[in-house]
Amino acid sequence: MVNTACGSSTQHQENVRKVRESMLSEREFLFMAELFKALGDYTRIRILSALAINELCVCALAEVLDMSQSAISHQLRLLRAAKLVRYRKEGKNVYYSLDDDHVRNLLAQGSDHIHEIG
Amino acid sequence: MVNTACGSSTQHQENVRKVRESMLSEREFLFMAELFKALGDYTRIRILSALAINELCVCALAEVLDMSQSAISHQLRLLRAAKLVRYRKEGKNVYYSLDDDHVRNLLAQGSDHIHEIG
DNA sequence: TCCTTGCATGATCATCTGTTCACATATGAT
DNA sequence: ATCATATGTGAACAGATGATCATGCAAGGA
């Protein structure tokens, strides 16, 4: 730590004060970090992108991503915890889908961003 | 692996085919995962949120977040790699800011999402 | 020139993460 | 009832991650 105020200039202190006042709460930042963390994995982003196209059961997801059912199931657990997916049971199968259009928007924004920066 | 096609129903296979066709490339998913991974950390999301309010030098960021300059600097390195921030040098100081409005939109979307789900 | 300041970075280490494996549960079919 | 199938989950292990510490480097002031 020991941040001895690099520049003690008026502008510096004014910026620090202004930013401090406008920052969200610790709780909000923790939630946002969890949200993006849930999106920030190669497997999970593919799961969400697949569900953005069509509702799918677990075994279909495993087939699409060419991964074990267990691995998919573990990741779906995290996505449920982050409220990014819904699910409904039908017989022996469990069908997953995106929780709402908000998630779809986040995916679209992410896609836009990477296509912009090449 | 060994995904023995849970349901061999026509609908199941049709869904798998449709989703497979519409999925992005491995490269694109890797980029998106990296993007969200960069956003998915308590320290980095606070750095970005601070920069969304005002351009800041490294020491000001350290002061705002009450963290060591070294820790901030390491995280800024990742944010630069993800093209989420810009920087300009001025004398001994280095001033960081958000790379573009796209980043601002992602932050706003994230904020919206967490406020929706409570 | 020498020193201080602001920033960057390699090494280290504790912690977190994601997959696999084994197994449990549940539902439907025979 | 028995069995196969679809899914969920705990343990465990390898690899990734984030803060700290020490140090390096560049720029400005004495």
Side-chain angles (χ1 to χ4, degrees):
Chain A
M1 303 294 179
V2 189
N3 302 313
T4 45
C6 62
S8 305
S9 76
T10 310
Q11 184 58 52
H12 175 101
Q13 292 306 331
E14 175 58 23
N15 284 342
V16 169
R17 191 195 57 74
K18 181 167 79 173
V19 170
R20 273 214 170 108
E21 278 182 4
S22 305
M23 290 284 274
L24 299 179
S25 69
E26 173 181 338
R27 175 186 153 82
E28 289 170 304
F29 281 130
L30 284 173
F31 271 33
M32 283 185 70
E34 285 311 305
L35 165 66
F36 287 123
K37 199 174 297 185
L39 293 165
D41 175 81
Y42 180 62
T43 296
R44 289 193 294 273
I45 198 74
R46 282 185 303 157
I47 290 177
L48 293 172
S49 295
L51 297 182
I53 300 168
N54 211 99
E55 177 192 61
L56 290 171
C57 65
V58 179
C59 65
L61 275 169
E63 200 178 337
V64 168
L65 304 194
D66 190 32
M67 290 180 64
S68 73
Q69 173 270 318
S70 176
I72 299 292
S73 211
H74 276 295
Q75 298 299 355
L76 284 172
R77 181 175 224 262
L78 297 182
L79 293 175
R80 287 199 309 264
K83 308 258 178 104
L84 292 173
V85 298
R86 297 177 186 286
Y87 67 95
R88 66 182 180 83
K89 300 186 181 181
E90 186 179 313
K92 283 185 297 184
N93 296 324
V94 178
Y95 290 90
Y96 283 83
S97 56
L98 294 190
D99 190 75
D100 60 14
D101 281 336
H102 233 266
V103 183
R104 216 175 292 270
N105 289 341
L106 279 165
L107 294 175
Q109 282 274 332
S111 179
D112 283 359
H113 182 79
I114 64 157
H115 287 121
E116 267 194 10
I117 65 179
Chain B
M1 301 295 180
V2 190
N3 301 313
T4 46
C6 64
S8 305
S9 76
T10 311
Q11 184 58 53
H12 175 100
Q13 292 305 332
E14 174 59 24
N15 284 342
V16 169
R17 192 196 56 74
K18 182 167 79 173
V19 170
R20 274 216 170 106
E21 278 182 3
S22 305
M23 290 284 275
L24 300 178
S25 69
E26 173 180 338
R27 175 187 154 83
E28 290 171 304
F29 282 130
L30 284 173
F31 271 34
M32 282 184 70
E34 285 310 305
L35 165 65
F36 287 122
K37 198 174 297 184
L39 293 165
D41 174 80
Y42 179 61
T43 296
R44 289 193 294 272
I45 197 74
R46 284 186 301 157
I47 289 177
L48 292 172
S49 295
L51 297 182
I53 300 168
N54 211 99
E55 176 191 62
L56 290 171
C57 64
V58 178
C59 66
L61 276 169
E63 199 178 338
V64 168
L65 303 194
D66 191 30
M67 290 180 64
S68 73
Q69 173 268 317
S70 176
I72 299 293
S73 212
H74 275 296
Q75 299 300 353
L76 284 171
R77 182 174 223 262
L78 297 182
L79 293 175
R80 288 198 310 263
K83 306 258 178 108
L84 292 174
V85 298
R86 297 177 187 284
Y87 67 95
R88 65 181 180 85
K89 301 186 181 182
E90 185 179 315
K92 282 185 300 182
N93 297 324
V94 178
Y95 290 91
Y96 282 83
S97 55
L98 295 190
D99 190 75
D100 61 15
D101 281 337
H102 232 267
V103 182
R104 216 175 292 271
N105 289 340
L106 279 165
L107 293 176
Q109 282 274 332
S111 180
D112 283 0
H113 183 79
I114 64 157
H115 287 121
E116 267 193 11
I117 66 179

